[in-house]
Amino acid sequence: MNEEGESQRSRGRPKGAVLSRDQVLAAAVALIDREGPESLSMRRLAGAVGVTPMALYNHFSGKQDLLRSVAEHLVAHVEFACEGPDWRQRIRFCFGRLRGVILAHPGAVRLMSNLETAPMAVFRPMEITLAALEDAGLADDAAVRAYFLLTNFTMGQAAYEAGEPADALDPAKALASGGLETGGFEHIERAVAFERWDFDAAFDFGLTVIIAGLEQVGRQSRPSA
Amino acid sequence: MNEEGESQRSRGRPKGAVLSRDQVLAAAVALIDREGPESLSMRRLAGAVGVTPMALYNHFSGKQDLLRSVAEHLVAHVEFACEGPDWRQRIRFCFGRLRGVILAHPGAVRLMSNLETAPMAVFRPMEITLAALEDAGLADDAAVRAYFLLTNFTMGQAAYEAGEPADALDPAKALASGGLETGGFEHIERAVAFERWDFDAAFDFGLTVIIAGLEQVGRQSRPSA
DNA sequence: ACCTGAACACCGTTCAAGT
DNA sequence: ACCTGAACACCGTTCAAGT
């Protein structure tokens, strides 16, 4: 992306600003997409934008701030909300978009999971979901719980599909590397051998199950409606 | 746990074996429980068992092997299976146990998510779940998808409760650190202010929703049964 | 077989310059 | 204000000893 050129800068402050936050963030995303999240170090990133490691500290307070800013950068321009009277459709759209972000930047999953504090922008899907579930007639506490159910499923599923952290959770991979001493996993072996993953269908299946369950729980909690 | 004693060992091979795998693994778990997963480095662990960093390489091929072995160690003696004819009950028991392991060792979550390949023992809940869902009459592909739904929910939920990686996903924390420039999150603010988490209830809610959804999906796919 | 010790290529970050 | 450069305390791992 940036020339890793050997154009040595002299020691003082350069005339024009050399770095901008967005420039650094774009380079960070490119680095993650190209070489994976573990390659995003202050020193490598500094090298990628043609600057000394310490120059980054003029724009970010430290690595945590950088990571948080990258996460913010990734979701900043995503539209999670959609019109429509049907709360099921709004939820499907919202988490579909969330899944889309993750699939577009697989490395972002590990990045997120190493964050100490998430940027607030990450919670826009939560806000939308709570509003939608209010329309669905769920109580406040049930709505929060349903949100966590939805987001845990979506993130986990997309992470697995992206193969990024959760590649480790691929039973096929574990079976293969486990070699011979593995036994007693007939169902898994059959499932692994039998089919190829249809991730779109699996995602849709999960949302369908959750929404069907929510409708049922909603009915039970206010049987008069 | 181990004396960090200054008992310098002389250079050659000691008379009795100094280290054993289980000894190292126990120390690793203790270190994670005591100081968090990011403190589990080869050098720190070596220090904790009173040995040079390189001594660990006689028992583990590298850090990945160590991490994988720790994960294996944690789930090795857990019984995920239970008797009983009801597949719902078997699933509840299995994932309740899985949640129990995570809550007992919060740091294990981040450890797992940094694994390149998971040990096969981690998939015992998968085997049990697929068998249970077969009893429930689900098709093979639906069963696999349902397993991922269940495990993603359980891991995410327990990780959040353990506050370990996913503490970052606490909207209250993000709100607080976000300070003033946060707006448009009325539902979240209300949810955060309103109630304290009842994690047991939230976990039960999620399982109930999923199982209810699975029953419904099962009914739809074989309406004649 | 199983440990020590020095060395290498990394890492985040502090502190002191420079202009 | 914004960059360079040296330094510090880490990290995983290789390689050469020792017995």
Side-chain angles (χ1 to χ4, degrees), chain B residues 12-13 41-44 54 57 62-63:
Chain B
R13 179 191 187 189
S41 71
M42 299 297 274
R43 298 175 110 107
R44 295 254 284 151
M54 284 317 298
Y57 287 79
K63 191 173 190 188

Side-chain angles (χ1 to χ4, degrees), chain B residues 82-95:
Chain B
C82 75
E83 303 293 321
D86 188 1
W87 61 272
R88 299 170 205 81
Q89 191 186 343
R90 297 213 301 278
I91 284 180
R92 291 192 108 99
F93 179 87
C94 177
F95 286 94

Side-chain angles (χ1 to χ4, degrees), chain B:
Chain B
M1 139 147 293
N2 257 59
E3 73 289 3
E4 318 220 3
E6 355 281 307
S7 62
Q8 313 260 29
R9 232 182 320 280
S10 63
R11 216 165 158 194
R13 179 191 187 189
K15 38 179 193 174
V18 175
L19 246 43
S20 80
R21 266 183 78 96
D22 276 340
Q23 191 186 136
V24 175
L25 291 177
V29 171
L31 188 59
I32 290 175
D33 289 346
R34 189 157 26 91
E35 311 196 40
E38 62 278 357
S39 69
L40 178 57
S41 71
M42 299 297 274
R43 298 175 110 107
R44 295 254 284 151
L45 179 58
V49 295
V51 103
T52 274
M54 284 317 298
L56 298 178
Y57 287 79
N58 293 313
H59 304 270
F60 305 91
S61 71
K63 191 173 190 188
Q64 275 298 320
D65 186 36
L66 174 73
L67 295 180
R68 200 164 35 240
S69 303
V70 170
E72 209 164 7
H73 185 82
L74 284 176
V75 296
H77 303 297
V78 179
E79 186 54 75
F80 293 105
C82 75
E83 303 293 321
D86 188 1
W87 61 272
R88 299 170 205 81
Q89 191 186 343
R90 297 213 301 278
I91 284 180
R92 291 192 108 99
F93 179 87
C94 177
F95 286 94
R97 280 295 174 93
L98 182 57
R99 175 172 177 248
V101 182
I102 296 172
L103 294 183
H105 304 281
V109 178
R110 245 214 257 276
L111 186 152
M112 277 295 307
S113 80
N114 286 343
L115 238 48
E116 282 169 11
T117 306
M120 203 56 208
V122 161
F123 294 101
R124 268 189 299 139
M126 182 177 185
E127 180 67 20
I128 290 164
T129 302
L130 293 183
L133 292 175
E134 186 175 283
D135 286 6
L138 259 72
D140 278 4
D141 55 347
V144 174
R145 289 165 188 172
Y147 160 74
F148 277 103
L149 175 52
L150 284 161
T151 198
N152 284 329
F153 164 67
T154 300
M155 302 271 296
Q157 182 78 16
Y160 181 73
E161 179 173 357
E164 238 317 303
D167 198 23
L169 293 181
D170 186 347
K173 188 179 176 188
L175 262 179
S177 84
L180 307 166
E181 78 267 28
T182 54
F185 293 101
E186 287 79 17
H187 287 87
I188 295 179
E189 289 177 34
R190 188 149 47 87
V192 163
F194 175 65
E195 46 163 345
R196 278 307 80 212
W197 266 104
D198 180 344
F199 286 108
D200 291 346
F203 179 63
D204 204 71
F205 175 87
L207 285 189
T208 300
V209 167
I210 294 174
I211 289 174
L214 287 176
E215 286 175 327
Q216 176 136 340
V217 168
R219 263 195 301 278
Q220 285 170 355
S221 66
R222 23 171 206 110
S224 57

Side-chain angles (χ1 to χ4, degrees), chain A residues 12-13 41-44 54 57 62-63:
Chain A
R13 179 189 187 194
S41 71
M42 299 297 274
R43 299 175 109 106
R44 294 252 287 150
M54 284 315 300
Y57 286 79
K63 193 175 189 187

